[in-house]
């Protein structure tokens, strides 16, 4: 599988729907499946979750990250 670094922008309605499905899956301990730019991703229930904040000058960024190994095992946070 090739490396990939992609950012996709969604409408507020689409983003809320994706977050709601993700939160429901996390809360119930189920894996989560999402399609991003034509590629379907399956995030296992034991993925690692973290939040990253970046500030550069007047710009700020907040990222909600889910980390996992493709073989299905969880990944330790750095």
């Amino acid at each position: 599988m090739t490396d990939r670094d992609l950012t996709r922008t969604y409408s507020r309605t689409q983003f809320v729907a994706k977050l709601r499905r993700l939160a429901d899956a996390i809360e119930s301990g189920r894996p989560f499946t999402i399609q991003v730019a034509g590629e379907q991703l399956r995030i296992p229930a034991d993925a690692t979750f973290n939040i990253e904040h970046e500030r550069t000058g007047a710009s700020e960024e907040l990222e909600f990250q889910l980390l996992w190994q493709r073989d299905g095992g969880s990944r330790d946070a750095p």
Side-chain angles (χ1 to χ4, degrees):
M1 204 168 272
T2 60
D3 289 350
R4 180 176 175 176
D5 188 358
L6 174 75
T7 300
R8 187 61 82 190
T9 301
Y10 294 97
S11 71
R12 180 185 314 254
T13 302
Q14 292 169 319
F15 189 67
V16 167
K18 290 178 188 311
L19 284 176
R20 188 163 287 126
R21 283 192 323 106
L22 173 61
D24 289 347
I26 292 169
E27 188 173 48
S28 65
R30 293 186 330 261
F32 178 71
T33 302
I34 186 170
Q35 186 166 329
V36 179
E39 183 174 337
Q40 191 166 10
L41 305 172
R42 183 181 181 280
I43 296 93
D46 65 347
T48 299
F49 308 99
N50 67 48
I51 299 172
E52 180 179 323
H53 174 245
E54 294 180 31
R55 179 180 299 132
T56 306
S59 178
E60 299 206 38
E61 179 178 351
L62 182 68
E63 295 180 12
F64 292 81
Q65 298 180 341
L66 293 81
L67 307 169
W68 70 97
Q69 296 294 320
R70 280 193 301 260
D71 65 2
S74 67
R75 176 176 161 178
D76 294 332

